[in-house]
């Protein structure tokens, strides 16, 4: 089966510019996650969707970051305006969600988008 | 809250050496524990997992045992290869009815194997 797709793979922008990232999860996966991975750190969850609803966006800097998953399939993460500290890899992940074998639901990760803010 | 503390790197070993990467966690309840691997230029891949105390996860010669008494999930491999060079992340996930809780990651350990 196809994996999680992300685009673009790389993006370089100036500070105060806007940028958008796209993610297409594995077909049939109801849960979609966006993580931010700053160099030298582990990924940190920014936002989690269940179908087209937000489950957790407690660590999303809402003054500049926004995300949507309008039809419950693919998703877009936007930064406006970007700051130097937003330089990171943005990872999208998806998982099948259900009560059966819940303990085994695995998150599958895309290749990430590497953002450099100059 | 939940947290994962991981052995700091980088770690450099010779081929066929024994590998241990330490991981300890803080969490309420009984989380599931994971090791993810990130090869150069690639995304995160699940390496192994354990969902309850005393479970042993294993894959590709790597093993880790869920030790509730020491809140640890150390990664081991008996004989490493050059192809094992990557960044390794320990992670936990709270238990829920649907298994869709977020992952909490450690900072990662960069492993380099020299021939």
């Amino acid at each position: 089966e196809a994996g999680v797709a992300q685009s673009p793979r790389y993006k370089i922008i100036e500070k105060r510019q806007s940028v958008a990232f796209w993610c297409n999860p594995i077909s049939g996966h109801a849960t979609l996650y966006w993580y931010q991975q700053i160099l030298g750190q582990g990924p940190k969850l920014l936002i989690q969707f269940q179908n087209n609803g937000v489950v957790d966006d407690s660590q999303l800097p809402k003054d500049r970051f926004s995300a949507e998953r309008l039809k419950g399939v693919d998703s877009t993460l936007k930064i406006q305006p970007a700051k130097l500290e937003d330089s990171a890899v943005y990872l999208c992940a998806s998982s099948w969600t259900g009560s059966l074998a819940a303990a085994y639901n695995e998150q599958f990760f895309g290749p990430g988008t590497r953002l450099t803010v100059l | 809250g939940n947290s994962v503390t991981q052995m700091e790197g980088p770690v450099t070993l010779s081929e066929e050496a024994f590998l241990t990467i330490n991981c300890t966690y803080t969490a309420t309840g009984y989380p599931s524990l994971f090791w993810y691997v990130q090869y150069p230029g690639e995304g995160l891949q699940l390496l192994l997992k354990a969902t309850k105390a005393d479970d042993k996860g294993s894959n590709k010669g790597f093993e880790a045992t869920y030790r509730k008494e020491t809140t640890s999930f150390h990664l081991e491999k008996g004989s490493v290869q050059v192809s094992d060079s990557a960044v390794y992340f320990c992670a936990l996930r709270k238990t829920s009815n649907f298994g869709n809780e977020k992952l909490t990651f450690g900072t990662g350990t960069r492993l380099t194997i020299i021939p």
Side-chain angles (χ1 to χ4, degrees):
Chain A
E1 64 182 8
V4 176
Q6 289 188 248
S7 67
R9 291 294 308 274
Y10 305 92
K11 190 73 177 179
I12 301 174
I13 61 173
E14 303 270 338
K15 60 182 179 184
R16 291 188 287 274
Q17 285 187 323
S18 302
V19 65
F21 313 126
W22 176 81
C23 172
N24 194 30
I26 292 173
S27 178
H29 281 193
T31 308
L32 185 147
Y33 313 78
W34 283 102
Y35 290 87
Q36 180 192 55
Q37 185 181 8
I38 294 173
L39 186 65
Q41 299 181 19
K44 179 188 78 172
L45 181 75
L46 291 175
I47 188 166
Q48 176 182 340
F49 291 94
Q50 181 74 16
N51 296 309
N52 61 353
V54 175
V55 173
D56 182 353
D57 63 356
S58 57
Q59 298 200 80
L60 186 74
K62 298 181 185 64
D63 58 334
R64 298 183 300 106
F65 286 65
S66 64
E68 59 184 18
R69 194 185 184 199
L70 294 175
K71 298 181 179 178
V73 181
D74 59 344
S75 175
T76 303
L77 176 70
K78 296 179 181 177
I79 308 176
Q80 180 180 10
K83 292 186 175 181
L84 297 177
E85 60 260 36
D86 299 331
S87 294
V89 176
Y90 291 85
L91 297 167
C92 180
S94 69
S95 66
W96 179 84
T97 301
S99 56
L100 292 176
Y104 304 95
N105 288 347
E106 177 184 340
Q107 290 184 27
F108 293 85
F109 284 80
T113 297
R114 181 177 298 277
L115 173 67
T116 302
V117 182
L118 302 176
Chain B
N2 298 336
S3 66
V4 175
T5 301
Q6 200 173 327
M7 173 179 172
E8 288 195 16
V11 174
T12 302
L13 296 173
S14 298
E15 204 165 21
E16 299 183 2
F18 184 85
L19 168 71
T20 300
I21 301 178
N22 290 338
C23 172
T24 58
Y25 68 90
T26 301
T28 54
Y30 304 95
S32 296
L33 300 174
F34 304 82
W35 278 100
Y36 278 82
V37 59
Q38 190 171 35
Y39 298 104
E42 298 184 17
L44 287 166
Q45 300 175 27
L46 179 64
L47 180 60
L48 53 83
K49 63 187 175 189
T51 58
K52 61 182 187 295
D54 300 325
D55 264 4
K56 177 185 282 189
S58 61
N59 186 27
K60 299 181 181 180
F62 290 88
E63 293 183 340
T65 301
Y66 189 147
R67 301 286 189 199
K68 188 173 185 305
E69 63 276 13
T70 54
T71 62
S72 65
F73 193 55
H74 304 322
L75 182 69
E76 297 182 336
K77 186 174 185 182
S79 176
V80 292
Q81 305 301 312
V82 172
S83 57
D84 294 326
S85 298
V87 181
Y88 292 81
F89 292 92
C90 185
L92 69 81
R93 189 183 72 198
K94 249 174 49 175
T95 301
S96 73
N97 290 333
F98 295 95
N100 61 344
E101 293 283 343
K102 69 179 182 184
L103 289 165
T104 298
F105 287 88
T107 54
T109 301
R110 181 175 299 278
L111 173 67
T112 302
I113 308 300
I114 53 178

